Amino acid sequence: MQIDLSSHIINVHLTLKVENAGTRPASEVVLALTPTEVDHLAMADALAIKGKRKKTTSVRLEVKPTELPDAPPIDTKYFTIYLANPLNSGESTTLEVLYVFTHFLEPFPAEIAQSESQLVFYHDTALILSPYHIKQQTTFIKTPSTKVESFIRMEPTNRVGTEIKYGPYEDCPPYSISPIHVHFENNSPFAVVEELVQEIEISHWGNIQVTEHYKLVHAGARHKGVFSRVDYQSRQSSNGASSFRYLLARLPPRVHSVYYRDEIGNISSSHLRTDSLKVFRYVFLLFSLVPCSKKLF
């Protein structure tokens, strides 16, 4: 299991080698998540991997929430992966599973001064929560930088650079857990769109006008104390490290007459350019820190 904590959106990659140890063909694989994880789950995706090394191919599989009537009475939510082909007794297959979680990191402290870095807590388990017996597992946690205030150790644990390794662990019974937490620096901008309204107007002459209204906030640690514009502009490396200084909008080809407005006068300039895919990239340059309490649009 690989957990990427480099931004405020958490990506969890699972590589599962699944073996059918039963006597009948299996067409499903069940995943287990805690209720807290389900509350913050933005996406769950699964691929079946075939072949080896450079000749591998992948097949996207259907993932749906499910219930286990005979499950033990513990607080667990379940998802089912539907295999493209049934797995016969003794056969094995490799699955790649991706979880994306939002609003999962906890800023601590909850308020920071302009000159302070943003620290956050991440809570999880070093062992994969699963309804199956797991022969061997290893968990890797990647942090944005080497600045880690603290983390729970359980043998074997190893930390090198920005990576914390838990395991390998052998022969883990079903529903095994081992709670851990990591307290680390994360200065990536916690930009969250709380509300988005899109208006599309089609004229009689075939022109299409699209207007989008964003209610945007900084969902990280709140700003405390007095805000200094001079320090923010002159000492950008040490002031407002977790603020977002620009916004990037990817627009479809052939757009024209692009404009913007904002309520608090935060945008100083912008520019429009195309990339290698002929997609317009519209960059808004922000002139000041955007703390949690402010709305940009």
Side-chain angles (χ1 to χ4, degrees):
M1 179 168 63
Q2 296 179 329
I3 303 172
D4 187 354
L5 305 179
S6 57
S7 76
H8 66 298
I9 298 175
I10 299 174
N11 294 297
V12 177
H13 297 267
L14 296 178
T15 300
L16 306 176
K17 185 174 181 181
V18 181
E19 180 183 355
N20 184 1
T23 57
R24 295 181 298 178
S27 58
E28 302 173 354
V29 174
V30 177
L31 305 173
L33 294 174
T34 66
T36 301
E37 290 175 326
V38 173
D39 290 342
H40 296 278
L41 182 65
M43 185 184 75
D45 197 14
L47 299 173
I49 307 300
K50 298 181 180 180
K52 295 182 179 180
R53 297 182 180 178
K54 295 183 179 181
K55 296 183 179 180
T56 59
T57 59
S58 61
V59 178
R60 191 171 301 278
L61 303 177
E62 186 178 16
V63 182
K64 287 186 176 181
T66 190
E67 294 184 0
L68 294 183
D70 56 347
I74 59 175
D75 212 3
T76 307
K77 303 292 184 180
Y78 300 96
F79 287 80
T80 296
I81 299 176
Y82 296 92
L83 302 178
N85 299 300
L87 201 62
N88 295 319
S89 178
E91 293 182 342
S92 63
T93 187
T94 300
L95 304 178
E96 294 282 351
V97 180
L98 169 65
Y99 296 133
V100 178
F101 298 101
T102 60
H103 306 284
F104 204 92
L105 298 177
E106 175 192 355
F108 188 83
E111 295 183 348
I112 58 174
Q114 183 176 335
S115 60
E116 294 178 317
S117 293
Q118 180 174 255
L119 300 176
V120 297
F121 262 121
Y122 174 71
H123 300 273
D124 203 345
T125 170
L127 303 178
I128 301 172
L129 180 62
S130 173
Y132 306 111
H133 176 271
I134 299 179
K135 291 183 179 179
Q136 186 184 81
Q137 63 175 302
T138 306
T139 298
F140 298 91
I141 298 179
K142 180 183 178 182
T143 57
S145 70
T146 58
K147 295 182 180 180
V148 177
E149 297 292 307
S150 64
F151 65 96
I152 296 294
R153 292 183 177 271
M154 53 174 292
E155 294 303 326
T157 301
N158 186 36
R159 180 190 169 202
V160 177
T162 61
E163 185 178 82
I164 302 173
K165 177 183 176 182
Y166 289 95
Y169 304 110
E170 308 282 346
D171 294 323
C172 300
Y175 300 101
S176 298
I177 62 171
S178 181
I180 59 171
H181 75 252
V182 184
H183 189 206
F184 62 100
E185 181 184 78
N186 188 334
N187 283 321
S188 63
F190 281 35
V192 174
V193 176
E194 289 189 335
E195 182 180 343
L196 170 59
V197 177
Q198 185 182 69
E199 300 174 354
I200 302 176
E201 181 180 341
I202 303 176
S203 72
H204 296 290
W205 296 274
N207 292 325
I208 300 176
Q209 177 176 302
V210 180
T211 305
E212 295 179 338
H213 304 270
Y214 291 86
K215 184 179 178 182
L216 179 67
V217 300
H218 193 307
R222 295 185 298 273
H223 177 258
K224 70 176 180 180
V226 178
F227 173 71
S228 171
R229 175 84 62 186
V230 174
D231 289 343
Y232 186 73
Q233 293 297 115
S234 61
R235 304 174 183 175
Q236 296 188 9
S237 61
S238 59
N239 265 264
S242 62
S243 67
F244 45 95
R245 302 174 185 269
Y246 67 90
L247 299 172
L248 174 63
R250 289 183 171 86
L251 307 178
R254 299 173 63 184
V255 298
H256 62 87
S257 305
V258 180
Y259 73 97
Y260 62 86
R261 289 194 300 265
D262 73 292
E263 292 182 353
I264 61 177
N266 227 24
I267 300 176
S268 62
S269 61
S270 67
H271 60 266
L272 182 68
R273 67 178 187 270
T274 58
D275 60 15
S276 59
L277 299 177
K278 304 300 181 183
V279 176
F280 283 99
R281 296 160 63 90
Y282 196 41
V283 180
F284 304 93
L285 301 180
L286 303 183
F287 192 59
S288 66
L289 179 70
V290 184
C292 182
S293 60
K294 279 192 176 180
K295 302 173 185 176
L296 183 58
F297 293 106

